[in-house]
Amino acid sequence: MQACVRHPQFRAGLRDMSSVSVGIAAWGVVTGVAMVKGGLSVPLALLMSFTVFAGSAQLAVLPLITSAAPLWVIWATALCVNLRFVIFSAQWRPFLMRFPLRERLALMYFSADLSYVLFMKRFQEPRDDEGQIEYLLGGSSINWVSWQFASVLGIVLANAIPTKLGLGFAGVLALLGLTWSLLTDRATAAAAVVAGGAAVAAFALPFKLNIVVAIAAAVCVGLLIDGGGDAGRRVRELLVRSGRRPNEVAS
């Protein structure tokens, strides 16, 4: 463990995730306050924060829990909201299959959406000599600490925070800021635009399945651009041309 923490890639993961940890913390506070304001006791909210560790799923099932919905409905809703991790896991599989099941499960508990994004942005293919797992652990650890500290703070102080402050809107702004910071090239921006359009188009689906549709659409666009054969090459060329000035294209 000490060798992992001392690895340069572990520190790189900490550094990269630290740049977005403020937005993660803001969303964690919103989730913590929402759980208590929604009717959960402080001990139950704390238990949910540490065992579930999935803000979108926590917020989705909260009204079902407080309304005494059947347990299978609560589980089904959480499953549908978190189906995006099936897509993430398929991308992570080549990097993690060499580890025992117990270690893979532990890694996936600490991982999150931004852990996936930053990891895939940095590493293109599985290798043993790049410190890939150390990087994942570094980023995931700061992500987990930022979320849990903020979530616990929101839970403990929920009754002292007036709802009129509009914390939900603040959380949305924080997520928008995180998204903007990750749009580093035109391919990523194209995937984000497609994901946004798909989420709006599929908004009427039950159990927030529009989130899964949006992520699937974004992954398909990303795969098409990065390695989609002739079709991917044409899309990449179109994105490159659209970023050039008219005189550059003419020349």
Side-chain angles (χ1 to χ4, degrees):
M1 185 61 183
Q2 292 182 353
C4 174
V5 173
R6 292 172 181 162
H7 198 284
Q9 288 290 12
F10 185 90
R11 295 193 295 271
L14 286 175
R15 183 175 58 253
D16 291 348
M17 187 62 73
S18 296
S19 64
V20 295
S21 60
V22 175
I24 295 171
W27 190 238
V29 171
V30 171
T31 304
V33 172
M35 285 192 289
V36 177
K37 294 287 188 181
L40 296 184
S41 65
V42 170
L44 186 57
L46 290 172
L47 178 64
M48 187 177 190
S49 179
F50 284 103
T51 56
V52 178
F53 185 43
S56 56
Q58 290 170 233
L59 293 175
V61 304
L62 182 59
L64 301 175
I65 294 176
T66 56
S67 62
L71 186 61
W72 72 268
V73 175
I74 296 173
W75 280 101
T77 302
L79 176 64
C80 289
V81 172
N82 280 340
L83 276 176
R84 66 189 186 278
F85 284 100
V86 176
I87 301 173
F88 296 167
S89 298
Q91 297 289 311
W92 254 320
R93 186 178 186 276
F95 296 88
L96 303 179
M97 279 305 296
R98 69 179 187 271
F99 295 98
L101 177 60
R102 182 178 299 179
E103 294 182 12
R104 279 180 278 154
L105 292 175
L107 285 170
M108 289 301 96
Y109 164 75
F110 287 101
S111 65
D113 301 72
L114 287 175
S115 303
Y116 166 82
V117 172
L118 294 176
F119 184 90
M120 291 302 170
K121 181 180 176 181
R122 189 176 185 91
F123 301 109
Q124 304 300 320
E125 59 184 20
R127 293 189 55 159
D128 295 336
D129 58 346
E130 289 188 348
Q132 295 176 345
I133 301 306
E134 288 81 1
Y135 179 87
L136 176 59
L137 286 171
S140 297
S141 61
I142 192 65
N143 178 79
W144 188 87
V145 170
S146 299
W147 174 270
Q148 296 296 359
F149 176 81
S151 180
V152 170
L153 189 66
I155 291 169
V156 174
L157 300 179
N159 293 323
I161 299 176
T163 54
K164 63 182 181 180
L165 291 179
L167 288 176
F169 183 64
V172 173
L173 292 179
L175 291 179
L176 287 175
L178 290 177
T179 303
W180 180 259
S181 68
L182 295 171
L183 300 180
T184 56
D185 52 51
R186 291 182 178 273
T188 306
V193 170
V194 171
V200 173
F203 185 76
L205 292 177
F207 302 118
K208 298 187 182 296
L209 283 173
N210 61 315
I211 299 175
V212 180
V213 172
I215 293 173
V219 170
C220 289
V221 170
L223 292 175
L224 177 66
I225 295 174
D226 288 339
D230 291 338
R233 178 180 52 78
R234 288 194 294 269
V235 173
R236 289 194 296 272
E237 291 176 352
L238 178 62
L239 290 172
V240 171
R241 286 200 301 270
S242 66
R244 293 177 180 171
R245 299 174 182 175
N247 57 344
E248 291 177 336
V249 175
S251 61

